[in-house]
Amino acid sequence: LEIIYGIVFVMGLTYNSRGSTAYLYGCEFLHSSKHMLYSQAVFFTVGLLMVFTSLCFMFTKSQTFYFVCIAIMIMLPILWVAVFAPESPHFLLSQNRFEELEKSLARICKINGNYNQEKVKMVVKNLMISKEMMSGNLEQNDQDDQDE
């Protein structure tokens, strides 16, 4: 059993954060100059979690304590995302909330360091036109199907 704890401990020390979906999703919200720092934070957090897991079961063998600690560690990033992450532009588009869509895209562009108000407005306008055309085509196809 101690061999398994040792393996998990070593895995925690050698974890590669760039294979993590947390790294990929996090990089969507960060400027490219911050990717390395974020990679190190994910690397440290996940590696530390594996080290914590092995030490927790090696010394306490209490699943209740472990699961309470894991729940707390999971809740903190979820709360951060719920408060600070911008609303998904895809969701806003699907709900026809175009003003909020423009604000969300502008915020994402500012974070990524390539904000241009004219381009954001043009993108939102093109998305509105595309959505209208798609809904018009769908209504046209529905009418054609009813005529047959």
Side-chain angles (χ1 to χ4, degrees):
L1 197 56
E2 281 77 20
I3 293 173
I4 293 173
Y5 298 143
I7 290 171
V8 172
F9 185 82
V10 170
M11 284 174 57
L13 296 177
T14 61
Y15 178 75
N16 178 7
S17 63
R18 291 185 183 240
S20 169
T21 54
Y23 172 76
L24 296 174
Y25 287 140
C27 285
E28 291 290 322
F29 297 110
L30 295 174
H31 188 269
S32 60
S33 65
K34 306 277 190 217
H35 287 188
M36 185 59 74
L37 180 63
Y38 180 71
S39 173
Q40 291 171 349
V42 171
F43 174 83
F44 178 75
T45 304
V46 176
L48 193 61
L49 180 63
M50 289 185 183
V51 169
F52 171 75
T53 300
S54 65
L55 294 176
C56 181
F57 284 117
M58 182 179 263
F59 294 115
T60 66
K61 298 193 180 17
S62 169
Q63 287 186 350
T64 305
F65 173 74
Y66 174 73
F67 287 125
V68 167
C69 290
I70 295 298
I72 291 169
M73 285 187 235
I74 290 173
M75 290 298 289
L76 294 176
I78 289 173
L79 289 173
W80 182 84
V81 167
V83 172
F84 295 110
E87 189 72 61
S88 164
H90 185 269
F91 172 76
L92 294 172
L93 179 63
S94 70
Q95 300 297 312
N96 294 328
R97 293 163 49 186
F98 298 110
E99 288 180 20
E100 293 174 55
L101 172 65
E102 185 175 333
K103 290 177 185 176
S104 179
L105 287 174
R107 181 176 177 193
I108 292 170
C109 288
K110 286 177 185 176
I111 290 170
N112 289 332
N114 57 1
Y115 176 69
N116 183 336
Q117 186 176 5
E118 294 299 320
K119 285 185 180 180
V120 170
K121 287 186 178 194
M122 185 178 67
V123 166
V124 171
K125 184 177 179 181
N126 288 338
L127 288 171
M128 289 171 61
I129 292 170
S130 297
K131 184 157 178 141
E132 289 173 8
M133 289 176 60
M134 298 258 317
S135 64
N137 287 341
L138 291 175
E139 291 172 7
Q140 182 68 27
N141 290 340
D142 288 342
Q143 288 178 354
D144 291 344
D145 290 341
Q146 289 176 358
D147 291 341
E148 291 176 2

